[in-house]
Amino acid sequence: MRSVRPGTISAAFADASANAPDSRTRDMLVSLATALHDFVIKTQLSNDEWRAGIAALARAGETSGDARNEFSLLSDMLGISSLVNMISAQESATPSSVLGPFHQRRAPKLPNGGDLWKGQPGEVLVMTGGVFDAATGEPVAGATLDLWQNADNGLYAAQDSQQRGRNYHGILRTDAQGRYAFTTTRPVPYTVPTDGVAGEMLRLLGREAWRPAHLHVIVEAKGYHQIVTELFPDDDPWLDRDAAFAVREELVIHFERCSDKGAMPDWLEARDRLPPEFLTGSMKFYIAPKTRTLERPT
Ligand code: BEZ
Ligand code: FE
């Protein structure tokens, strides 16, 4: 290996990794190293540029901790998170979208028909829909929807000392017919944190830090692949400029203006408290069973 050249360094790396105990790990790392070698050659990277890159990674490490992960944000802003989601998607299932940094494990239980709004400012939104088997189209009873979103001020509970810790976070279960409903407020667009390396990258690229408004959902049911996804209102100005590249057409939904409380499910907890005018939205989630072969029902 003593006469390594630009054209042979990737092969040398692969040869040096021949004894890796796990072949998948070896293949991924050899492939990553090869892609990085190609990048160095293609861009004719200088020593100063490479050192600047290493320093940026070190700064990302310094700003990362329990409450914040700058590498995860970089992955989102580079489009990697979104790409991993897309290539891991189960055919026929509802597309996935980025998890983002604000999911809270063990969110409070929300009764089906329950209320995340709780009289807080914002446009009141009634969401209804169901969870279905992507192979058969049959409703999935007892599926969980782990829901979280920002408040009308654009902030998630974790970012805002004025909100209770789990505000706008809740997990509900679909009923025997696979249905769900809840009240909330319309989520609003917001900017991702720009005070770290990911923000530096956005500025260097002349990019904006906005994400379109979205409602996060993790759909789960026993025997099915989990879906981590987001729903986006169709009138959001940032839909085509999401900093995280996470919008998919199938996840864009329309909010209808409504003034007929009586048309809402009678099991909606806040039905009688709804304002004279509110928004309604609907989404059917299709989840893929773990074993069967799939064909999207028509
Ligand atoms: C979010 O959805 O909250 C989010 C996603 C990616 C990066 C930052 C925030
Ligand atoms: Fe989010």
Side-chain angles (χ1 to χ4, degrees):
M1 226 203 276
R2 61 173 70 184
S3 52
V4 176
R5 296 273 173 273
T8 60
I9 194 163
S10 299
F13 185 98
D15 287 350
S17 315
N19 296 330
D22 181 72
S23 63
R24 170 73 180 157
T25 306
R26 182 198 57 218
D27 290 351
M28 284 193 296
L29 289 173
V30 168
S31 183
L32 175 64
T34 305
L36 289 171
H37 298 155
D38 290 347
F39 157 76
V40 170
I41 291 166
K42 187 172 170 201
T43 59
Q44 289 293 295
L45 198 69
S46 71
N47 273 309
D48 283 352
E49 287 164 338
W50 183 232
R51 279 193 211 103
I54 300 273
L57 290 177
R59 286 199 299 286
E62 282 156 19
T63 39
S64 296
D66 287 346
R68 172 169 185 173
N69 187 334
E70 196 67 14
F71 293 101
S72 179
L73 187 56
L74 271 173
S75 159
D76 296 335
M77 300 299 101
L78 285 165
I80 310 267
S81 311
S82 225
L83 189 54
V84 173
N85 280 331
M86 285 188 275
I87 64 167
S88 324
Q90 298 294 316
E91 211 184 314
S92 315
T94 299
S96 336
S97 190
V98 293
L99 176 68
F102 300 115
H103 178 245
Q104 295 192 14
R105 286 206 194 103
R106 291 183 289 281
K109 275 198 186 120
L110 181 72
N112 195 4
D115 182 27
L116 292 172
W117 158 45
K118 299 193 178 83
Q120 297 174 86
E123 283 189 271
V124 178
L125 168 66
V126 179
M127 280 297 302
T128 56
V131 178
F132 300 89
D133 183 307
T136 63
E138 291 298 314
V140 180
T144 58
L145 262 57
D146 185 346
L147 305 158
W148 72 105
Q149 65 166 81
N150 60 7
D152 197 49
N153 63 1
L155 298 174
Y156 286 85
Q159 301 174 291
D160 185 2
S161 58
Q162 303 303 305
Q163 294 181 51
R164 286 177 304 105
R166 309 292 190 92
N167 196 30
Y168 286 109
H169 290 255
I171 303 184
L172 64 70
R173 230 171 235 289
T174 57
D175 68 9
Q177 287 119 70
R179 296 175 306 176
Y180 70 84
F182 59 95
T183 38
T184 184
T185 50
R186 182 191 164 107
V188 297
Y190 67 95
T191 54
V192 302
T194 54
D195 56 345
V197 170
E200 281 177 43
M201 182 185 80
L202 294 179
R203 283 188 291 279
L204 287 170
L205 293 173
R207 281 175 52 188
E208 284 159 314
W210 286 91
R211 293 220 60 215
H214 54 270
L215 170 68
H216 290 274
V217 192
I218 298 178
V219 189
E220 273 184 297
K222 201 161 183 271
Y224 290 86
H225 292 279
Q226 180 200 65
I227 299 175
V228 178
T229 194
E230 304 176 279
L231 302 179
F232 302 90
D234 65 357
D235 55 353
D236 191 284
W238 296 97
L239 273 184
D240 295 309
R241 288 178 288 165
D242 181 8
F245 307 100
V247 180
R248 314 272 167 268
E249 192 60 49
E250 300 92 319
L251 303 175
V252 176
I253 61 172
H254 183 64
F255 291 158
E256 202 74 59
R257 282 199 181 277
C258 181
S259 47
D260 182 7
K261 297 180 195 192
M264 297 300 104
D266 58 7
W267 41 282
L268 194 71
E269 208 179 82
R271 187 165 85 148
D272 296 337
R273 284 181 277 126
L274 288 171
E277 200 174 74
F278 53 93
L279 300 173
T280 62
S282 183
M283 179 69 182
K284 288 179 170 178
F285 295 99
Y286 288 90
I287 54 176
K290 281 193 172 150
T291 48
R292 278 167 285 169
T293 6
L294 299 179
E295 221 170 276
R296 181 77 178 254
T298 46

